[in-house]
């Protein structure tokens, strides 16, 4: 009888829960857009759990005075995150496209772009690189070279200028992002917010709304935010993330790295030793290809940077 009553009680409780998407969060404060009404409610995770991230589909209690409790997180289709030796920083859940934004000014870090692509590959998420501010002359040669390298690797690159050609940029983005759930990531100053505002003009108003409700001022800009695009010419989702300078990949093993770097992995079968790390071992097919000019030296330097601290796990 007791078990039956407990099951009945849980079933009744589940029936009252509402579903929605987490669109923003800071600390233990989250905002959830409810499926039924589109209302944006403040929500807190039940207990002391810290397992909620932007993009999560969640079940919440009916809000009381505009505040709800997050009772459960639905299974995620994807999760993008970065990591270092101390912690993991989730960026967003349930996205299906990572857009890596860079520009010639301020100075960009090519390795940041490559690291973001590796993280997307590991998470099983498609990737697109967006070169913004392509009208700038300053540092143009380096940006052109970065684009050429990416395209040689088979990476899709959009070449745009949100400031000087806003409508052409918007149309190019819509064609690629139509019906997708896209996350924008990049170093500070690359123009992510400008691109976002072309796609979702009311994002500026929504940002102010979050700041006022949470009463956290500028601190709220440190968190990712999910925006829904419901327009006549395009439907989709865009996740804006704060700019940061380093994309940690401590969670990748050596073989994860190689799987995401086919230009290096293609030469692994020529290695004499099955457990070759392609660093200082003799008779290494990768090192031989490097000496013969078949591997880009910068790409190999990038591989060494990652491989020196990566764990070796079986394929």
């Amino acid at each position: 009888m007791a078990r039956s009553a407990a099951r009945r009680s849980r079933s009744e409780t589940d029936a009252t829960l509402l579903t929605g998407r987490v669109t923003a969060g800071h600390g233990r404060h989250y905002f959830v857009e409810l499926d039924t009404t589109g209302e944006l409610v403040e929500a807190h995770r039940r207990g002391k759990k810290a397992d909620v991230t932007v993009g999560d589909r969640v079940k919440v209690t009916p809000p009381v005075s505009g505040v709800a409790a997050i009772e459960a997180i639905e299974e995620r289709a994807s999760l993008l995150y970065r990591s270092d030796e101390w912690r993991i920083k989730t960026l967003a859940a349930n996205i299906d496209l990572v857009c890596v934004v860079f520009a010639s000014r301020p100075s960009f870090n090519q390795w940041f772009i490559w690291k973001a692509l590796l993280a997307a590959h590991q998470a099983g998420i498609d990737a697109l690189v967006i070169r913004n501010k392509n009208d700038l002359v300053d540092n143009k040669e380096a940006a052109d070279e970065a684009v050429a390298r990416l395209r040689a690797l088979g990476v899709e690159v959009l070449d745009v200028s949100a400031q000087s050609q806003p409508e052409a940029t918007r149309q190019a983005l819509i064609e690629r992002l139509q019906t997708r759930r896209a996350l924008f990531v990049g170093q500070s100053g690359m123009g992510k917010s400008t691109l976002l505002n072309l796609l979702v003009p009311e994002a500026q108003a929504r940002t102010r709304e979050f700041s006022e409700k949470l009463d956290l001022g500028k601190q709220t800009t440190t968190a990712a935010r999910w925006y829904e695009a419901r327009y006549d010419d395009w439907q989709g989702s865009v996740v804006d993330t704060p700019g940061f300078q380093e994309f940690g990949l401590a969670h990748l093993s050596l073989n994860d790295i190689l799987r995401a770097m086919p230009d290096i992995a293609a030469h692994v079968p020529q290695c004499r030793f099955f457990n070759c790390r392609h660093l200082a071992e003799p008779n290494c097919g990768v090192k031989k290809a490097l000496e013969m000019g078949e591997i880009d030296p910068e790409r190999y330097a990038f591989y060494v940077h990652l491989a020196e601290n990566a764990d070796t796990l079986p394929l």
Side-chain angles (χ1 to χ4, degrees):
M1 289 288 288
R3 288 183 180 177
S4 178
R7 282 196 296 268
R8 187 165 56 253
S9 176
R10 284 196 299 270
S11 178
E12 291 170 354
T13 299
D14 290 346
T16 66
L17 295 180
L18 306 173
T19 58
R21 175 148 350 244
V22 176
T23 60
H26 186 87
R28 294 180 55 77
H29 297 267
Y30 301 95
F31 278 97
V32 176
E33 184 174 313
L34 301 179
D35 293 343
T36 51
T37 64
E39 180 186 2
L40 195 67
V41 299
E42 185 178 346
H44 306 273
R45 183 63 162 129
R46 182 75 74 183
K48 295 184 178 181
K49 297 179 180 178
D51 53 353
V52 180
T53 193
V54 168
D56 273 332
R57 298 280 306 161
V58 296
K59 294 183 181 296
V60 303
T61 60
V64 177
S65 300
V67 180
I70 299 174
E71 297 284 358
I73 303 171
E74 296 182 0
E75 183 177 356
R76 292 163 172 161
S78 66
L79 179 65
L80 184 71
Y81 61 97
R82 55 192 177 101
S83 64
D84 56 32
E85 57 184 306
W86 298 285
R87 66 171 185 163
I88 289 175
K89 176 65 175 177
T90 59
L91 296 176
N94 298 314
I95 59 171
D96 59 24
L97 181 66
V98 175
C99 297
V100 188
V101 182
F102 86 100
S104 59
R105 279 287 179 258
S107 297
F108 67 94
N109 182 343
Q110 187 168 232
W111 285 17
F112 180 100
I113 302 169
W114 292 349
K115 286 182 177 181
L117 293 174
L118 261 65
H121 183 277
Q122 179 66 12
I125 304 171
D126 293 341
L128 169 70
V129 173
I130 301 173
R131 186 254 188 103
N132 192 20
K133 310 181 189 180
N134 66 358
D135 55 324
L136 294 182
V137 175
D138 194 17
N139 207 32
K140 182 178 185 300
E141 185 176 338
D144 288 344
E145 184 179 336
V147 168
R149 270 188 167 129
L150 289 164
R151 286 177 171 156
L153 293 169
V155 178
E156 183 180 2
V157 182
L158 278 184
D159 221 341
V160 299
S161 177
Q163 288 282 6
S164 64
Q165 297 181 312
E167 188 54 36
T169 297
R170 183 176 183 274
Q171 290 304 316
L173 290 170
I174 287 174
E175 288 178 12
R176 190 60 183 81
L177 273 58
Q178 191 73 256
T179 72
R180 304 299 295 265
R181 299 186 298 274
L183 176 140
F184 282 14
V185 65
Q187 296 170 264
S188 300
M190 298 299 167
K192 296 187 305 301
S193 295
T194 305
L195 294 171
L196 168 69
N197 291 331
L198 284 178
L199 292 166
V200 189
E202 66 268 25
Q204 293 178 348
R206 181 59 60 88
T207 297
R208 288 194 294 271
E209 180 182 357
F210 289 154
S211 299
E212 290 168 5
K213 284 193 174 184
L214 288 180
D215 193 26
L216 291 171
K218 293 183 179 180
Q219 283 184 307
T220 57
T221 62
T222 63
R225 294 196 183 96
W226 183 292
Y227 299 96
E228 288 292 340
R230 303 183 179 99
Y231 304 103
D232 292 339
D233 58 347
W234 91 282
Q235 306 278 318
S237 307
V238 182
V239 183
D240 189 27
T241 63
F244 49 90
Q245 300 305 313
E246 180 58 37
F247 203 116
L249 296 175
H251 57 289
L252 267 60
S253 71
L254 182 65
N255 287 320
D256 293 332
I257 295 165
L258 286 169
R259 289 189 188 98
M261 297 186 69
D263 51 325
I264 304 294
H267 304 281
V268 170
Q270 282 70 56
C271 293
R272 177 179 178 182
F273 301 104
F274 76 94
N275 60 346
C276 182
R277 293 174 62 87
H278 326 298
L279 298 174
E281 297 83 355
N283 299 310
C284 171
V286 171
K287 294 292 292 289
K288 183 177 180 181
L290 177 68
E291 292 169 1
M292 296 179 66
E294 297 174 6
I295 292 177
D296 182 339
E298 183 71 9
R299 287 284 288 177
Y300 179 73
F302 173 68
Y303 166 80
V304 170
H305 168 74
L306 298 177
E308 285 181 334
N309 297 309
D311 291 329
T312 302
L313 296 177
L315 288 170

